[in-house]
C-alpha cells in the first residue's frame, strides 16, 4: 500500500500545515457551529470571512482559501477580507482571483480584499463591506494592546457573529481571554488544543522562565483556538 505524505516526508508534511492550519481551523469552526450545512450562512452559496489584524502569513495562504470551496461543494463563492494595521499594508478592493479548472468550470469564485486600518474603521468606511459569516483573528495578542481593541471588540459583540481566535500558547489565550470576557463576549467553544494546528514546532528563543507566565518552550501556529460571540 502507498504511504501517506506524512510517512514519506514528515518535514514537508509539517511545513505544509503552516498555511493549511488557517484554512482547516476555519473549516473546523464552521463544522463545530453547524455552518457548513446548506442554508446556515447569510447567503446559501456564499461564505464571507473577515480576518482582522491579518499579516503576511494570511496573505501568503491566499491560494489555500480556495480549499474551502473544494470541501464544501454547495458553496459557489468565498469572500475573504483581510483587515490589517501593518505599516507596509495597502488598500486593495475586493476582487476575483483565478480558481482551479474545476471551480472555473462550475463558475465558482474566490474574492480577496485588503483594508488598511482597524476593524471598526473598515465597517464604517469601506464600500466593500459585506456582513461576515465568521470573523477570524490569528495570534493577535489582544492583551498586549488592549486599549486599541476596545472599539473592535464592541463592534464584534454587537454583530452577533462567531469570532474564532487562535493562540501560540496557554499564556496567550489566558491573557486574551480575560480581555475578551471583560468586553462581553462569551465562549461558544472554550479554548482548547487545536486539532488542526501547524505541526511545525518552533522554539521560543527567549522564554521567560522566572515570570508568572505559563511558559511553553515549543510553540506552533494555531496551537490553541476558541470561538466566541456577543
Amino acid at each position: 500500500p502507498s504511504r501517506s505524505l506524512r510517512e514519506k516526508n514528515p518535514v514537508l508534511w509539517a511545513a505544509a500545515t503552516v498555511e493549511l492550519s488557517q484554512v482547516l481551523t476555519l473549516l473546523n469552526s464552521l463544522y463545530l457551529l453547524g455552518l457548513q450545512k446548506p442554508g446556515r450562512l447569510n447567503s446559501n452559496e456564499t461564505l464571507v470571512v473577515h480576518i482582522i489584524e491579518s499579516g503576511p502569513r494570511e496573505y501568503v495562504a491566499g491560494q489555500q482559501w480556495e480549499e474551502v470551496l473544494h470541501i464544501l461543494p454547495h458553496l459557489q463563492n468565498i469572500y475573504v477580507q483581510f483587515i490589517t494595521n501593518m505599516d507596509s499594508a495597502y488598500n486593495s478592493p475586493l476582487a476575483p482571483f483565478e480558481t482551479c479548472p474545476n471551480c472555473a468550470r462550475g463558475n465558482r469564485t474566490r474574492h480577496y480584499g485588503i483594508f488598511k486600518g482597524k476593524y471598526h474603521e473598515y465597517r464604517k468606511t469601506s464600500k466593500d463591506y459585506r456582513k461576515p459569516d465568521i470573523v477570524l483573528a490569528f495570534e493577535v495578542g489582544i492583551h498586549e494592546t488592549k486599549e486599541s481593541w476596545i472599539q473592535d471588540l464592541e463592534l464584534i459583540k454587537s454583530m452577533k457573529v462567531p469570532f474564532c481566535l487562535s493562540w501560540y500558547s496557554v499564556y496567550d489565550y489566558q491573557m486574551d481571554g480575560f480581555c475578551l470576557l471583560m468586553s462581553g463576549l462569551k465562549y461558544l467553544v472554550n479554548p482548547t488544543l487545536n486539532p488542526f494546528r501547524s505541526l511545525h514546532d518552533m522554539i521560543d528563543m527567549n522564554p521567560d522562565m522566572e515570570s508568572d507566565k505559563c511558559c511553553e518552550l515549543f510553540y506552533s501556529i494555531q496551537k490553541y483556538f476558541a470561538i466566541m460571540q456577543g
Side-chain angles (χ1 to χ4, degrees), residues 24-156:
L24 293 173
T25 297
L26 166 61
L27 282 164
N28 185 44
S29 298
L30 295 177
Y31 272 82
L32 289 171
L33 298 169
L35 296 178
Q36 88 286 2
K37 301 175 183 177
R40 292 296 305 276
L41 302 175
N42 294 322
S43 168
N44 285 341
E45 298 182 337
T46 300
L47 174 65
V48 180
V49 180
H50 292 171
I51 307 178
I52 59 177
E53 295 296 326
S54 56
R57 187 182 299 130
E58 287 76 34
Y59 309 151
V60 169
Q63 187 72 32
Q64 280 82 357
W65 295 105
E66 186 180 340
E67 296 301 325
V68 176
L69 296 177
H70 300 162
I71 294 174
L72 301 179
H74 66 281
L75 284 182
Q76 280 294 114
N77 316 288
I78 181 170
Y79 288 80
V80 182
Q81 178 71 56
F82 304 102
I83 298 95
T84 179
N85 232 9
M86 293 182 61
D87 291 337
S88 59
Y90 56 89
N91 287 306
S92 178
L94 269 171
F97 281 69
E98 185 179 1
T99 57
C100 72
N102 284 339
C103 285
R105 282 192 292 270
N107 295 317
R108 307 177 84 196
T109 68
R110 61 184 176 110
H111 297 73
Y112 302 141
I114 300 174
F115 178 85
K116 183 176 182 179
K118 298 293 290 181
Y119 191 43
H120 66 275
E121 295 170 338
Y122 163 71
R123 175 64 182 89
K124 289 180 181 178
T125 65
S126 177
K127 296 179 180 179
D128 285 336
Y129 177 81
R130 288 170 172 258
K131 183 179 179 180
D133 295 291
I134 191 168
V135 179
L136 308 178
F138 297 138
E139 291 96 27
V140 293
I142 293 171
H143 67 280
E144 297 172 352
T145 56
K146 57 186 177 182
E147 294 299 323
S148 70
W149 279 88
I150 292 174
Q151 293 184 70
D152 285 356
L153 294 180
E154 191 64 33
L155 171 61
I156 293 168

Side-chain angles (χ1 to χ4, degrees), residues 186-198:
K186 298 178 181 179
Y187 285 116
L188 298 179
V189 177
N190 288 324
T192 187
L193 190 65
N194 187 354
F196 297 103
R197 64 192 177 278
S198 166

